[in-house]
C-alpha cells in the first residue's frame, strides 16, 4: 500500500509525510554549511537517524533538507512502496518472456513497461518554481546554502542539482545527477564524467561550435530526484520513468531563457549555457569513494536566470566513505533493476551490490549452476551489461546462498575457492572516480567462482556434503526450548 500523500506533489509534501511518520527532525539552531552540517549529517546517518531540516543555515536564505534517502525505509516511502522489491516486482510482472536476451532486451523491456503504463510529462504554463525570477546581475548562488562537506574540498558544492540537457542534433533530453562546484555568484563547474550522457551532448555541441543550454532543478519531488540517479539507457526518458514510478504524470514548464523544460514543482531552477571549449579547474572533492577526487578541468555553466518559489527549501546530500545517505538510492537501483538484469542474464537468481563497495566496485551474484564454467560465463555477461561494466569484483555463489547475508557469502567465497583455478582476472573500464586503477578510466577486474565445483570442471575429488541438522531434531528443540531454561 502506498504511503499517505503519494505521489508527493513536491518536496514539501514529502517532508510533511516524513515528519508525520517520525522520520524527520527539525534543527532550529544556526548551523554552518561549511563542514558543520556534514559532521552532523554523517553522525545521524551512521546512527540510523532521521532526515534533517536545517531551518537556519548560516549561509543562504532558505532551509536545507538532507538525509532524505538515508535508509531503505525512507527510500521506500519516497517511491510509494513498503519494500523496494515491490517496484522491481511490478516491472518483472510486465516484462514479456519473448523479449530478446541481452542489452537489446533490457532496452526493449524498459520501453515495453513504460509503454504499458505510459505517463509522459504534462506541460503547464505557470509553475511554483518560477514565482521569483532573478536575471543578469540579480543572479546570486549565495542565496543557496551550498555545502563544503570536507576540509580539503575546493569550495562550495551543490550536490543534488538535477541537470537537464538536450542532444544538439536529435533533441533527445537527458536528466542526470552531477555535483556542481560554485566558482562565483553566477558560474558553476559541471563535473560531467567521461561516461555520462551529458558529456556526450556537450561533445556534440562543441563539435558544432555551439553553446549548450543547461537547466538545473534543485529540490524536486523524491521520485524525480531518484529518477535522475537511475542507470537508464540513454534512449529512455527519465521523466517517463518517473511517471511510471509515480503512477502520475510529472508536470513540466518551459524555462524562461533556455529551450528546455524543468519540473514545475521544483524549488529552484538555474538556467544558463556552456561556452564551447571553456574549462576551469574543478575539485578537489571528498567523494562517495571515501577519498578526494583530484582537480580536473571541467565545463563551466554561466547562469543567466535563477527562478525559485517564494519560500523554497534547498535539498542536498553528503558524500563520504560508506555508510552514507546514498545507501538508499543505491539499494533502490539494485532492487528496481533486478528483473531487468535477470532478463538480460537469465542465469541470475539474485544479486547484491554492497554499499561498502559504493555499489559499483563489487557484485555478489547467485546462479542456478547447470554446466562447467557457468560462473565465468555469468561474470563476463555482467561486465558487458551497461553500467555493470564498472564492477571490479564479482563473486558468484550457488542459488541456495543468500546474497544479502555477507557472512554466508564470505563463508562460500573463502571456503569454496581454489584461487589457482577459480579466480578470473581481466581488464576493462572502471568508474571515472576510481583512484585504485593505475590508469584513469580502466583497470583490473576479478571474478571469484564460489560455487560447488563439478567433475566436468576438473574437480575429481567429489564435492563434500555440507552439514545440516535433521528436521526432526530442529522440530524437537523448538518444542522443548522453554524447558532448557535458556
Amino acid at each position: 500500500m502506498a504511503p499517505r500523500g503519494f505521489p508527493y506533489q513536491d518536496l514539501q509534501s514529502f517532508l510533511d509525510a516524513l515528519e508525520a511518520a517520525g522520520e524527520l527532525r527539525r534543527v532550529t539552531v544556526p548551523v554552518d554549511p561549511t563542514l558543520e552540517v556534514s559532521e552532523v549529517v554523517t553522525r545521524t546517518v551512521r546512527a540510523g537517524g532521521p532526515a534533517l531540516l536545517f531551518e537556519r543555515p548560516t549561509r543562504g536564505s532558505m532551509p536545507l533538507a538532507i538525509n532524505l534517502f538515508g535508509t531503505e525505509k525512507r527510500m521506500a516511502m519516497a517511491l510509494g512502496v513498503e519494500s523496494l522489491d515491490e517496484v522491481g516486482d511490478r516491472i518483472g510482472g510486465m516484462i514479456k518472456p519473448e523479449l530478446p536476451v541481452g542489452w537489446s532486451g533490457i532496452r526493449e523491456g524498459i520501453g515495453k513497461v513504460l509503454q504499458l503504463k505510459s505517463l509522459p510529462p504534462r506541460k503547464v504554463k505557470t509553475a511554483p518554481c518560477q514565482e521569483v525570477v532573478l536575471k543578469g546581475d540579480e543572479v546570486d548562488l549565495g542565496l543557496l546554502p551550498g555545502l563544503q562537506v570536507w576540509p580539503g574540498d575546493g569550495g562550495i558544492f551543490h550536490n543534488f542539482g538535477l541537470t537537464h540537457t538536450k542532444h544538439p542534433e536529435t533533441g533527445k533530453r537527458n536528466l542526470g545527477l552531477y555535483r556542481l562546484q560554485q566558482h562565483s555568484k553566477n558560474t558553476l563547474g559541471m563535473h560531467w564524467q567521461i561516461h555520462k550522457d551529458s558529456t556526450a551532448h556537450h561533445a556534440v555541441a562543441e563539435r558544432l561550435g555551439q553553446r549548450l543550454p543547461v537547466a538545473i532543478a534543485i529540490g524536486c519531488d523524491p521520485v524525480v530526484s531518484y529518477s535522475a540517479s537511475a542507470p537508464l539507457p540513454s534512449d529512455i526518458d527519465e521523466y517517463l520513468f518517473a511517471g511510471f514510478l509515480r503512477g502520475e504524470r510529472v508536470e513540466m514548464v518551459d524555462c524562461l531563457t533556455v529551450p528546455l523544460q524543468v519540473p514545475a514543482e521544483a524549488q529552484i531552477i538555474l538556467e544558463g549555457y556552456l561556452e564551447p571549449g571553456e574549462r576551469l579547474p574543478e575539485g578537489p572533492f571528498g567523494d562517495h569513494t571515501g577519498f578526494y577526487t583530484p582537480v580536473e578541468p571541467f565545463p563551466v555553466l554561466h547562469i543567466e536566470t535563477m527562478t525559485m518559489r517564494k519560500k523554497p527549501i534547498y535539498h542536498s546530500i553528503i558524500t563520504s566513505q560508506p555508510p552514507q545517505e546514498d545507501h538508499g538510492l543505491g539499494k533502490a537501483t539494485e532492487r528496481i533493476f533486478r528483473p531487468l538484469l535477470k532478463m538480460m542474464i537469465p542465469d541470475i537468481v539474485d544479486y547484491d551490490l554492497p554499499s561498502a563497495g559504493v555499489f559499483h566496485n563489487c557484485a555478489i551474484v547467485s546462479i542456478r549452476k547447470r554446466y562447467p564454467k557457468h560462473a565465468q560465463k555469468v561474470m563476463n555477461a555482467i561486465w558487458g551489461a551497461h553500467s555493470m561494466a564498472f564492477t571490479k569484483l564479482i563473486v558468484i555463489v550457488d542459488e541456495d546462498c543468500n546474497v544479502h547475508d555477507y557472512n554466508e557469502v564470505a563463508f562460500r567465497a573463502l571456503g569454496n575457492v581454489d584461487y589457482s583455478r577459480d579466480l578470473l582476472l581481466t581488464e576493462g573500464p572502471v568508474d571515472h572516480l576510481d583512484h585504485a586503477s593505475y590508469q584513469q578510466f580502466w583497470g583490473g577486474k576479478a571474478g571469484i567462482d564460489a560455487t560447488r565445483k563439478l567433475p566436468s570442471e576438473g574437480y575429481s575429488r567429489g564435492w563434500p556434503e555440507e552439514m545440516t541438522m535433521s528436521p526432526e531434531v530442529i522440530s524437537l528443540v523448538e518444542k522443548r526450548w522453554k524447558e532448557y531454561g535458556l
Side-chain angles (χ1 to χ4, degrees):
M1 180 182 294
R4 187 176 180 181
F6 186 84
Y8 310 105
Q9 181 179 2
D10 52 23
L11 177 59
Q12 283 87 345
S13 301
F14 182 48
L15 295 177
D16 289 344
L18 291 177
E19 191 162 34
E23 289 287 334
L24 175 73
R25 185 70 58 85
R26 294 173 182 266
V27 180
T28 59
V29 297
V31 183
D32 192 346
T34 297
L35 304 182
E36 187 179 8
V37 164
S38 174
E39 180 64 15
V40 172
V41 173
T42 298
R43 294 187 185 200
T44 302
V45 169
R46 292 176 182 175
L52 300 175
L53 183 64
F54 292 93
E55 296 185 335
R56 298 168 62 193
T58 58
R59 178 167 49 247
S61 62
M62 61 194 70
L64 162 64
I66 202 163
N67 195 27
L68 304 189
F69 309 123
T71 64
E72 292 182 41
K73 178 182 178 181
R74 284 201 296 280
M75 193 68 238
M77 285 186 65
L79 299 179
V81 294
E82 293 186 6
S83 165
L84 294 175
D85 279 308
E86 289 180 36
V87 182
D89 291 343
R90 278 174 60 201
I91 293 173
M94 296 176 186
I95 293 174
K96 303 291 185 181
E98 66 271 16
L99 287 174
V101 173
W103 179 233
S104 63
I106 197 169
R107 290 171 58 192
E108 190 172 341
I110 297 175
K112 289 280 188 184
V113 168
L114 299 184
Q115 187 178 20
L116 286 169
K117 295 287 185 179
S118 182
L119 292 168
R122 176 191 294 116
K123 183 179 176 180
V124 296
K125 294 183 178 180
T126 60
C129 68
Q130 295 175 342
E131 290 174 341
V132 177
V133 179
L134 305 173
K135 292 187 176 183
D137 290 340
E138 296 176 319
V139 171
D140 185 5
L141 293 171
L143 297 171
L144 310 179
L147 302 178
Q148 181 180 346
V149 175
W150 295 102
D153 284 355
I156 296 170
F157 288 82
H158 305 277
N159 295 336
F160 224 110
L162 278 57
T163 303
H164 301 72
T165 59
K166 279 187 179 180
H167 191 288
E169 294 177 326
T170 68
K172 174 64 184 174
R173 171 172 53 206
N174 180 66
L175 172 65
L177 180 60
Y178 316 106
R179 76 180 191 230
L180 310 162
Q181 182 173 1
Q182 185 170 316
H183 288 319
S184 71
K185 63 174 289 193
N186 62 354
T187 58
L188 290 170
M190 311 297 289
H191 188 261
W192 286 355
Q193 298 168 30
I194 189 172
H195 306 107
K196 302 299 184 180
D197 292 331
S198 290
T199 302
H201 291 187
H202 186 224
V204 174
E206 288 195 313
R207 175 170 56 81
L208 298 173
Q210 298 176 358
R211 298 197 300 175
L212 183 70
V214 177
I216 296 167
I218 298 174
C220 297
D221 81 74
V223 173
V224 169
S225 293
Y226 166 71
S227 297
S229 74
L232 293 168
S234 60
D235 55 352
I236 299 294
D237 185 2
E238 287 83 3
Y239 282 105
L240 196 62
F241 184 61
F244 166 76
L245 295 176
R246 286 168 52 90
E248 183 177 289
R249 295 182 177 188
V250 179
E251 292 189 343
M252 308 283 287
V253 68
D254 287 336
C255 290
L256 300 182
T257 53
V258 294
L260 297 166
Q261 291 184 343
V262 289
E265 298 289 345
Q267 305 294 306
I268 302 138
I269 303 294
L270 308 176
E271 305 177 11
Y273 291 89
L274 303 182
E275 296 291 344
E278 184 181 16
R279 303 287 191 279
L280 281 179
E282 193 271 356
F285 178 76
D287 222 307
H288 67 282
T289 61
F291 296 87
Y292 289 104
T293 51
V295 175
E296 292 184 84
F298 279 99
V300 181
L301 176 64
H302 296 267
I303 302 168
E304 298 186 346
T305 302
M306 183 177 186
T307 71
M308 64 183 74
R309 290 172 174 245
K310 289 180 180 177
K311 294 183 178 181
I313 297 174
Y314 179 83
H315 177 211
S316 194
I317 191 171
I318 297 297
T319 54
S320 78
Q321 176 182 335
Q324 195 47 267
E325 180 184 350
D326 57 1
H327 171 84
L329 295 166
K331 281 298 170 183
T333 292
E334 175 196 290
R335 296 293 90 195
I336 289 172
F337 286 84
R338 179 173 61 98
L340 295 164
L341 185 63
K342 289 177 67 175
M343 180 185 67
M344 188 177 184
I345 311 171
D347 318 73
I348 292 175
V349 174
D350 199 0
Y351 80 122
D352 184 280
L353 305 176
S355 60
V358 295
F359 296 103
H360 56 71
N361 283 338
C362 178
I364 302 165
V365 181
S366 60
I367 65 170
R368 187 171 295 112
K369 186 171 178 177
R370 295 186 291 111
Y371 48 79
K373 299 299 180 182
H374 195 167
Q376 286 77 357
K377 180 256 192 185
V378 173
M379 295 171 193
N380 285 296
I382 290 171
W383 282 318
H386 194 38
S387 58
M388 295 293 287
F390 301 127
T391 309
K392 295 203 294 183
L393 174 65
I394 299 174
V395 180
I396 306 291
V397 294
D398 287 301
E399 63 177 313
D400 61 349
C401 179
N402 179 2
V403 295
H404 311 295
D405 183 340
Y406 297 154
N407 284 331
E408 184 177 357
V409 171
F411 174 74
R412 309 278 182 121
L414 298 175
N416 283 7
V417 179
D418 177 341
Y419 284 96
S420 68
R421 292 174 176 264
D422 302 331
L423 178 66
L424 176 64
L425 297 177
T426 187
E427 291 180 335
V430 297
D431 188 77
H432 190 130
L433 303 179
D434 190 278
H435 62 278
S437 59
Y438 283 56
Q439 301 290 328
Q440 191 175 29
F441 307 132
W442 65 274
K445 313 290 189 80
I448 297 175
D449 178 3
T451 63
R452 299 177 182 89
K453 304 309 179 296
L454 305 173
S456 52
E457 293 176 297
Y459 187 86
S460 58
R461 300 172 57 195
W463 196 262
E465 180 183 356
E466 191 172 333
M467 299 175 298
T468 57
M469 183 53 67
S470 66
E472 295 81 10
V473 173
I474 292 174
S475 177
L476 171 67
V477 170
E478 285 179 352
K479 290 178 181 178
R480 297 196 58 196
W481 188 254
K482 290 183 180 180
E483 295 182 43
Y484 305 140
L486 300 176

